[in-house]
């Protein structure tokens, strides 16, 4: 039986997080034994202690996959999100922000004492962001919370590697992959961070080897960690023949994509001033996927990703502030 035509462009599963961004310096990071530019998981007690020591900041809804959907929605794409908040104030903030973007969000809020997730992001003057994440309710997303019909209704299922770490969401994402592939849809996966790869490399390699991933997103360090080599080109070659579309960002060196064995490259888009690199990879994925959905050639997809990433690093926060449709028009007319 032929699957029905998709009614949505992308449905994503990811952490439902509220970001708290604040300026910092290297001395503060050292005082709190934080690895600059990295991401660590923290417990509720550490989250409270670190939050109390942080400078005044800005609270905005975040989460890697949700940020990507925010970019896609800004490009005019039809999106849905699956992720769990608690029935608390931050949970209401997150749900309101996502729905205000026109993104469908129906996942029931969890009841109980485990609060909505939050990510404490310290931004140093060189625009590096050091993330400290308390996963809260998001890490207990159960398989029963999935809307399988919603997943089957989208052209692409987009999965956030960060959420692979907890057991319950991992099981939910496996079920989501089965539903998407059973409906003839594509599955996109972002590796998210080195620590996730360190803990779940075998799972990710197995998904790739089994042909479960159609579009793989990474940065330079993540793809090398996945391949367990120190050379970027060797890492790309390890997996480029195993996924139809492999995309890897390289910060100021631009980005590459390998599609059906052909390699494409773009330079980084110019930025007047880099303010905050939070969300750069998320918005790159948004731009690339927007172009991919529109049938643009691979080079143009990369350019759109680079432009979206450049927009988000030019200001605080991981959600776009400029009109991305206008940005696209400026690029391609």
């Amino acid at each position: 039986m032929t699957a029905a035509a998709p009614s949505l462009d992308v449905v994503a599963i990811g952490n439902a997080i509220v970001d708290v961004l604040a300026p910092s310096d290297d001395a503060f990071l050292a005082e709190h034994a934080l690895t600059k530019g990295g991401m660590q998981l923290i417990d509720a007690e550490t989250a409270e202690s670190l939050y109390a020591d942080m400078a005044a900041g800005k609270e905005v809804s975040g989460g890697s996959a949700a940020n990507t959907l925010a970019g896609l929605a800004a490009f005019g794409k039809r999106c849905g999100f699956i992720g769990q908040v608690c029935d608390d104030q931050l949970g209401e903030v997150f749900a309101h922000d996502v729905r205000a973007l026109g993104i469908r969000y129906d996942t029931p809020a969890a009841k109980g004492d485990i609060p909505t997730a939050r990510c404490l992001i310290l931004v140093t003057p060189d625009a590096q962001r050091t993330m400290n994440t308390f996963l809260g309710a998001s890490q207990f997303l159960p398989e029963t919370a999935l809307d399988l019909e919603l997943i089957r209704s989208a052209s692409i299922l987009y999965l956030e590697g960060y959420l692979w770490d907890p057991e319950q969401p991992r099981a939910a994402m496996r079920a989501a992959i089965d539903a998407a592939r059973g409906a003839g849809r594509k599955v996109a996966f972002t590796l998210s961070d080195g620590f996730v790869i360190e803990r779940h490399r075998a799972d990710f390699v197995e998904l790739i080897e089994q042909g479960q991933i159609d579009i793989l997103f990474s940065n330079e360090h993540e793809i090398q960690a996945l391949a367990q080599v120190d050379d970027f080109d060797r890492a790309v070659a390890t997996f480029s023949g195993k996924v139809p579309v492999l995309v890897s960002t390289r910060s100021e060196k631009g980005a590459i994509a390998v599609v059906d064995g052909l390699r494409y490259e773009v330079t980084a888009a110019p930025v007047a001033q880099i303010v905050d690199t939070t969300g750069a990879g998320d918005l790159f994925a948004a731009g690339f996927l927007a172009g991919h959905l529109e049938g643009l050639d691979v080079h143009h997809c990369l350019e759109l990703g680079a432009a979206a990433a450049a927009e988000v690093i030019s200001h605080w926060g991981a959600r776009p502030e400029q009109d991305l449709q206008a940005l696209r028009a400026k690029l391609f007319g």
Side-chain angles (χ1 to χ4, degrees):
M1 186 176 73
T2 303
S7 57
L8 294 177
D9 294 308
V10 179
V11 165
I13 302 178
N15 282 308
I17 295 178
V18 175
D19 290 338
V20 182
L21 301 102
S24 182
D25 55 27
D26 290 346
F28 184 91
L29 300 183
E31 178 186 347
H32 290 271
L34 303 176
T35 301
K36 184 176 181 177
M39 198 287 279
Q40 68 167 343
L41 297 178
I42 57 176
D43 57 23
E45 182 179 353
T46 303
E48 289 184 10
S49 174
L50 184 60
Y51 181 75
D53 288 349
M54 289 169 62
K58 176 181 178 181
E59 294 186 356
V60 292
S61 293
S64 175
N67 292 337
T68 296
L69 290 189
L72 281 162
F75 278 118
K77 304 309 170 192
R78 302 160 300 169
C79 301
F81 180 70
I82 297 172
Q84 185 168 258
V85 297
C86 177
D87 185 16
D88 58 14
Q89 183 177 358
L90 285 184
E92 291 178 4
V93 168
F94 181 90
H96 172 270
D97 288 352
V98 170
R99 291 169 183 151
L101 295 171
I103 297 168
R104 181 173 168 183
Y105 178 51
D106 303 323
T107 309
K111 308 291 184 182
D113 299 329
I114 301 175
T116 295
R118 70 283 318 269
C119 183
L120 308 179
I121 303 174
L122 299 161
V123 184
T124 42
D126 58 2
Q128 287 294 307
R129 82 284 185 274
T130 301
M131 300 187 293
N132 306 274
T133 305
F134 170 57
L135 289 175
S138 69
Q139 66 187 311
F140 299 106
L141 175 74
E143 185 177 337
T144 54
L146 296 182
D147 183 338
L148 295 180
E149 287 307 310
L150 181 70
I151 291 166
R152 296 184 185 109
S153 75
S155 294
I156 297 173
L157 170 67
Y158 183 83
L159 301 175
E160 176 186 324
Y162 283 127
L163 199 57
W164 196 266
D165 199 51
E167 182 178 354
Q168 283 183 277
R170 191 185 323 140
M173 286 196 283
R174 286 190 183 278
I177 291 172
D178 289 342
R181 299 201 69 83
R185 311 308 190 197
K186 293 181 179 179
V187 176
F189 194 95
T190 178
L191 293 173
S192 291
D193 195 275
F195 93 88
V196 182
I197 298 166
E198 182 180 344
R199 292 163 65 98
H200 302 289
R201 179 181 177 276
D203 279 357
F204 298 161
V205 171
E206 181 181 46
L207 289 173
I208 292 168
E209 296 282 357
Q210 292 177 347
Q212 300 295 298
I213 306 300
D214 299 290
I215 305 171
L216 180 67
F217 288 99
S218 71
N219 65 27
E220 183 173 14
H221 304 294
E222 291 159 3
I223 196 66
Q224 289 177 194
L226 190 68
Q228 295 185 318
V229 298
D230 293 329
D231 181 81
F232 176 69
D233 291 328
R234 283 181 59 199
V236 169
T238 300
F239 296 106
S240 60
K242 299 177 180 179
V243 291
V245 180
L246 185 152
V247 182
S248 190
T249 57
R250 308 187 71 189
S251 299
E252 73 279 359
K253 291 179 281 189
I256 69 102
V258 181
V259 180
D260 297 329
L262 296 177
R263 177 165 166 157
Y264 304 80
E265 298 190 34
V266 294
T267 57
V271 183
Q273 181 182 6
I274 300 175
V275 176
D276 171 20
T277 57
T278 308
D282 304 333
L283 268 294
F284 188 98
F288 186 93
L289 287 174
H292 182 77
L293 286 159
E294 293 169 17
L296 298 183
D297 65 64
V298 180
H299 195 267
H300 282 166
C301 291
L302 287 169
E303 287 184 321
L304 198 57
E311 189 282 332
V312 84
I313 66 175
S314 68
H315 57 75
W316 278 76
R319 301 283 172 90
E321 294 183 355
Q322 296 182 35
D323 183 342
L324 296 191
Q325 294 278 50
L327 184 151
R328 184 195 185 286
K330 184 176 179 182
L331 274 178
F332 307 130

